[in-house]
Amino acid sequence: MLAHGMVHTYELSIPIFVSIWLVEFDVLSLGFVEFGVTEATLGLVVTAGYGLFGVGALPGGVLVDRIGSDRLITVCLFGMAASFVLLGLSPNLLVVAIALLLWGAAASVYHPAGLTLLSKGVHERGTGFAYHGIAGNVGTGLGPLLTAILLLFLDWTVVAILLAVPALAAGAYAVRAQFDETAAVDDVAKATPNGGGDDESDGGADAGNTDAGGDSRADSVGSLAEFSVETRRLFAGAFALVFVVVMASGLYYRGFLTFLPNLLEGLPGFEPVPLTSLLPPVVTDALGVQPGSTRSINPERYFYSGLLIVGVFGQYLGGKLSDRIPVERGLAGGFGLLAVLALVFLPAANAGIVPLLAVGAVLGAALFLVQPFYQATVAEYSPAGTRGLSYGFTYLGVFGVGALGGGIAGTILTYATPAVLFATLAVFAAVASGIGFYLLRRRADAGATTR
């Protein structure tokens, strides 16, 4: 939970910095060629870091099955701290890009490590996913909020370095933390007469699933040949459809959030408010804010943070529901709601601040409601022995392929309109919802055949 909070603190603080970098930097120089800084340019820079965050999840998943979760989580924490120190020392946008790549590489191993730990070490898996998700949402919401508050008084470079401190402290704790990574699997195996070899030995993860197949206590991936075999095994069945769902989720998530503060700052009610107009001179003097200072409160940053904080409730509700209803039904309903919200977001924004707050609150909850459902769906459609590999592919889809959402959003905002962007997001969600309906019908048909 602690590491999950750190990962998303950094991940979702980056869009706040994006709005600053659009003003701070004029060009991206690669030595032999220069590019002007636009939403499209920054979208590609951010996509590179976010993309590695996802792409690295696949080798990270293989490593989890080989060496366990604890070492990888520790490396993740120290690596993220180092990346934000480098970010704070960046003299130009190229070094910013390198720092984001370092962050992406370090953060990429977390989700396969953390989720494998939960799926194999916690008996009440849905509830475990919910609490784990809440910790991530605390980081998701409070990280950007803390960043926005610090930016009132400090330069962004100083803020980036200060943000590295919590990960250093968490890494120091992770070095000493000890836990049983396979408690749930081992306990069920002991209670199973055949030693836990049937398909339900992972707490029922594969119950009713004809695609996971084989022994849920299968050996971890230890060679390229085994990787190839297990990959074909995963994608031979309905896991391939689940992979499309997680890709669509990632594209929606990243496409919506990357430029959200920038989108909001031009709307009525989001005008910057100078600190000197809000606070008495005795307070501004004590804070070092001089008369005529350009430091101001940017409402869009706090709306963005608030939307993410609301996601805590969606994450918790999704986790609880995933223990009570078919996960496929949750996918269909949750992504269907996201499709509708994408279509009504801009009309609500144009209608005024109150409708925008209402739609934003529902969207913030729905954006994270779907996460426990697809996490639990992956567990149902994969064997325990290669659970790390399956979550590696999951977060390759969510954060690797999904990182393209930032580039897509930046390109659309540079060459088209916000309306085109939100229509595109609605298509992503509709695809995921349609697959959820298909999997739900497939489950019902399988149940009818069994009866």
Side-chain angles (χ1 to χ4, degrees):
M1 289 172 65
L2 184 61
H4 195 204
M6 291 293 97
V7 166
H8 291 298
T9 289
Y10 299 124
E11 177 205 356
L12 276 307
S13 293
I14 291 171
I16 290 183
F17 289 127
V18 165
S19 61
I20 297 173
W21 296 334
L22 279 168
V23 178
E24 182 83 8
F25 301 111
D26 297 322
V27 297
L28 170 60
S29 176
L30 301 179
F32 56 89
V33 65
E34 291 185 346
F35 301 93
V37 174
T38 64
E39 286 93 343
T41 307
L42 271 179
L44 291 175
V45 168
V46 173
T47 293
Y50 281 148
L52 194 54
F53 180 29
V55 171
L58 184 53
V62 175
L63 286 173
V64 170
D65 289 330
R66 295 282 291 168
I67 66 175
S69 298
D70 57 344
R71 291 184 232 176
L72 290 179
I73 292 175
T74 303
V75 169
C76 165
L77 288 165
F78 284 123
M80 291 192 300
S83 69
F84 263 66
V85 170
L86 178 60
L87 186 65
L89 299 175
S90 300
N92 53 55
L93 193 56
L94 178 59
V95 180
V96 167
I98 294 170
L100 293 180
L101 287 170
L102 175 59
W103 174 82
S108 67
V109 300
Y110 173 71
H111 282 95
L115 292 172
T116 297
L117 176 62
L118 281 173
S119 70
K120 296 172 71 172
V122 178
H123 291 287
E124 297 181 31
R125 186 166 53 209
T127 301
F129 281 143
Y131 285 116
H132 174 261
I134 288 172
N137 275 110
V138 170
T140 293
L142 296 186
L145 179 60
L146 175 62
T147 301
I149 292 172
L150 290 174
L151 286 170
L152 289 173
F153 310 107
L154 300 170
D155 188 74
W156 74 268
T157 55
V158 178
V159 173
I161 293 174
L162 288 177
L163 288 176
V165 175
L168 286 173
Y173 170 75
V175 169
R176 299 186 302 162
Q178 295 183 358
F179 40 81
D180 183 354
E181 298 188 32
T182 60
V185 174
D186 289 343
D187 287 352
V188 174
K190 292 173 183 176
T192 305
N194 65 1
D198 73 282
D199 286 343
E200 298 188 37
S201 65
D202 185 33
D206 299 326
N209 173 27
T210 60
D211 296 297
D215 183 0
S216 65
R217 296 282 304 194
D219 291 336
S220 61
V221 174
S223 68
L224 183 60
E226 290 176 3
F227 172 81
S228 178
V229 168
E230 293 300 334
T231 297
R232 288 197 301 270
R233 183 183 177 199
L234 280 173
F235 283 90
F239 182 84
L241 292 175
V242 178
F243 188 67
V244 175
V245 170
V246 299
M247 286 193 295
S249 178
L251 289 167
Y252 188 107
Y253 176 86
R254 196 65 69 205
F256 177 68
L257 293 178
T258 300
F259 289 96
L260 181 59
N262 195 53
L263 277 169
L264 293 172
E265 64 183 6
L267 295 175
F270 287 89
E271 297 83 2
V273 181
L275 279 179
T276 52
S277 69
L278 289 177
L279 302 175
V282 63
V283 176
T284 55
D285 289 344
L287 295 174
V289 180
Q290 301 301 320
S293 170
T294 58
R295 295 198 178 276
S296 59
I297 293 177
N298 298 83
E300 72 276 3
R301 296 175 183 173
Y302 299 93
F303 178 95
Y304 169 80
S305 299
L307 181 147
L308 297 173
I309 291 172
V310 169
V312 170
F313 302 102
Q315 187 84 246
Y316 182 80
L317 177 61
K320 285 297 186 181
L321 287 176
S322 70
D323 281 334
R324 290 168 171 77
I325 66 173
V327 291
E328 298 88 348
R329 182 174 296 164
L331 294 180
F335 282 106
L337 177 59
L338 284 174
V340 172
L341 290 170
L343 295 176
V344 303
F345 186 84
L346 285 181
N350 293 326
I353 191 68
V354 174
L356 178 59
L357 288 173
V359 171
V362 177
L363 201 156
L367 195 62
F368 295 94
L369 172 78
V370 297
Q371 291 186 5
F373 281 110
Y374 70 64
Q375 289 165 356
T377 302
V378 170
E380 289 205 15
Y381 287 88
S382 64
T386 52
R387 190 63 48 74
L389 177 64
S390 65
Y391 280 121
F393 273 114
T394 297
Y395 285 93
L396 171 64
V398 173
F399 292 127
V401 178
L404 295 174
I408 291 169
T411 301
I412 290 175
L413 292 175
T414 300
Y415 299 107
T417 65
V420 175
L421 171 60
F422 282 93
T424 303
L425 297 179
V427 171
F428 294 148
V431 168
S433 179
I435 292 174
F437 277 114
Y438 171 78
L439 292 175
L440 181 62
R441 181 175 179 179
R442 188 173 180 270
R443 174 190 280 263
D445 290 343
T449 301
T450 301
R451 290 194 297 272

